[in-house]
Amino acid sequence: MKKFLIISILIILFIALLPLVGNKIVEDELKNRIELLTSYGVKVQNSATDSNYFSTKRHYEFLLSDAEKFMEYLNQYSDTQLPPYVNAMLHGTVIGIDIHYSNFPLSDSVSVDIYPLSLSSEIAQNIKKSDFGFYNYLKTLLESKGVLYHIDYNILNREFNGYIKDIKEGHLLEDNSKITLNISKALYDGEGALIAPTKLNASADLLGFKVEKPKELFSADLKGFRSSSIFESETTYASSIMISDIEFLVKESSFRDTLLQAKNIKVNLSSNTQGAKAEFYAKSSFEDFKLQTDSAKIRASDFNYDISLSEVDKDSFEELRILMAKAKTNSTDELQAKMEQSIYKIMSKGVIVTLADFSVEKIGAEDKEAMKGFSIKANIILAEDANMTKNIRKSPLLLAKNLTVDAKIKISKEIFAFVNEKAPMSSLAKMYAKEEGEVLVFDIKYDKGELNINGKGLQ
């Protein structure tokens, strides 16, 4: 009985202490994050805590006091260096953060709301001078948490999900221009650190922006956005994007009107450096495309693009990657020269380019009826050559002796006739063509300086 009583007391004591343990885990993690941000030019200008036995709420207001330092932090995780003018856009910005979490460990994720409370002082002053009413509108919108980013983050397993608050806002400016912004059902989830996740999925039903003036219009609408990315490392990843509809419309009184529309766009990118050699892939497609201006009309359907780069020397590629990372924050002539040398080094080790598919089912220009399109497939081998760098510097044409090309081009007779109408010299190519119904076929082979098309040597 006594032993049972002691065990019971210990269990009750453990349960009673759970909230203290859970609070401490989250508190230590928050402290580490804040210390990191402070080292990169972010100050806590206001904070408050509301805690009870079961849960804790924390409110922070962060002032971006040193935009240059913060940019250094962001550039570590960016593929391209952010432009310097972003400094002015960020410096002096105040960001509010509300954090809510259970004090019981392993029970719930940390819930976070992130929202801008004020614009940078420079941008705010510029807007205030040009349109005081718009300044007040933005000020009220931000202070009411009109722009909000929500995250539910599990500190232990590092999984997260969240959303961007729906936005449907419009405002009439002093010059009678109307600005409209629409964001609908923007969701995301993933794994890993928030600023550099190992897995990230995102979606949005609508991302729309419009500026209307009495005689001018600019609108951009993106519908049905979906993306998915997995990052094994900085050099091994896979990303895909799907968009149901894109539309850009520009109407200007002094310039030509422009309309661009596309449907069912798909893009896939991947990189793999886990094997003996590095490999890179890019694939994209769309169902319909339309570009219309006052002077040109282009339509296309069922476009496909599928290309890969393989047999890339990993050590040379890693050298180039490191140089490119350095160039993001401090690009110099010396660094550019080293990057050029590194690219030559990759080429000298040999690479293979495979164009698995580059095709358009139908294409139309101007007011003509859509014509049957074309397709291109190619395999290009650049052989290893230790003297390649020296040869390229003498003459880029010397690179040809290391090339082997095996390609097949199929082009409809309609397209060929249209091209010939615009560039009559292209008719010379027909003497090498092989006819297959309504299609002209060009089987191209190049090896050791010799080029032949459909078995005929180039004359």
Side-chain angles (χ1 to χ4, degrees), residues 400-401 403-405 445-452:
K401 73 182 185 67
L403 281 176
T404 302
V405 179
K445 296 187 184 300
Y446 178 85
D447 187 20
K448 298 178 181 178
E450 293 185 6
L451 174 65
N452 69 72

Side-chain angles (χ1 to χ4, degrees), residues 305-414:
Y305 176 75
D306 187 347
I307 191 169
S308 66
L309 183 66
S310 59
E311 295 299 310
V312 179
D313 182 69
K314 288 202 300 185
D315 293 337
S316 302
F317 171 73
E318 180 64 14
E319 180 183 299
L320 176 62
R321 188 192 67 80
I322 292 172
L323 290 171
M324 291 174 67
K326 290 179 180 178
K328 288 193 298 184
T329 55
N330 184 28
S331 183
T332 63
D333 291 341
E334 181 183 359
L335 199 55
Q336 291 295 326
K338 287 183 178 179
M339 288 170 60
E340 182 179 315
Q341 182 68 23
S342 183
I343 291 172
Y344 289 152
K345 188 175 179 181
I346 291 174
M347 294 171 63
S348 69
K349 298 286 186 178
V351 296
I352 297 176
V353 179
T354 303
L355 183 61
D357 187 13
F358 178 50
S359 62
V360 174
E361 183 66 28
K362 287 191 175 182
I363 187 167
E366 300 170 353
D367 291 323
K368 293 189 176 182
E369 192 173 323
M371 302 170 284
K372 290 183 179 178
F374 63 87
S375 69
I376 302 173
K377 296 182 179 182
N379 190 58
I380 304 169
I381 300 173
L382 180 60
E384 183 175 354
D385 185 353
N387 297 318
M388 188 175 296
T389 300
K390 183 173 63 177
N391 291 335
I392 290 176
R393 285 177 175 170
K394 284 181 181 178
S395 171
L397 294 176
L398 293 174
L399 184 67
K401 73 182 185 67
N402 297 307
L403 281 176
T404 302
V405 179
D406 186 354
K408 179 170 284 190
I409 300 174
K410 293 184 177 181
I411 182 169
S412 72
K413 291 180 179 179
E414 293 175 291

Side-chain angles (χ1 to χ4, degrees), residues 144-207:
S144 64
K145 302 182 184 180
V147 180
L148 185 143
Y149 186 84
H150 178 83
I151 306 167
D152 290 318
Y153 187 71
N154 192 309
I155 292 175
L156 297 179
N157 63 22
R158 304 184 77 186
E159 293 180 353
F160 60 87
N161 63 77
Y163 60 85
I164 297 174
K165 181 180 177 181
D166 283 2
I167 297 176
K168 191 173 184 179
E169 294 285 338
H171 182 76
L172 187 66
L173 302 176
E174 288 181 356
D175 64 355
N176 289 324
S177 301
K178 184 179 180 181
I179 296 179
T180 305
L181 175 64
N182 282 319
I183 298 178
S184 176
K185 294 184 180 179
L187 310 173
Y188 65 91
D189 64 79
E191 299 174 6
L194 292 175
I195 197 166
T198 56
K199 181 180 179 181
L200 179 63
N201 302 310
S203 64
D205 282 2
L206 172 64
L207 301 173

Side-chain angles (χ1 to χ4, degrees), residues 1-37:
M1 184 68 178
K2 185 177 179 180
K3 185 176 180 181
F4 174 77
L5 184 61
I6 293 173
I7 292 174
S8 300
I9 292 172
L10 289 174
I11 292 173
I12 293 170
L13 183 61
F14 174 74
I15 295 173
L17 290 175
L18 271 178
L20 298 178
V21 175
N23 191 298
K24 181 64 175 172
I25 291 173
V26 179
E27 191 175 299
D28 288 345
E29 182 69 17
L30 290 174
K31 183 180 178 182
N32 293 335
R33 299 294 180 186
I34 292 172
E35 286 177 354
L36 176 64
L37 289 174

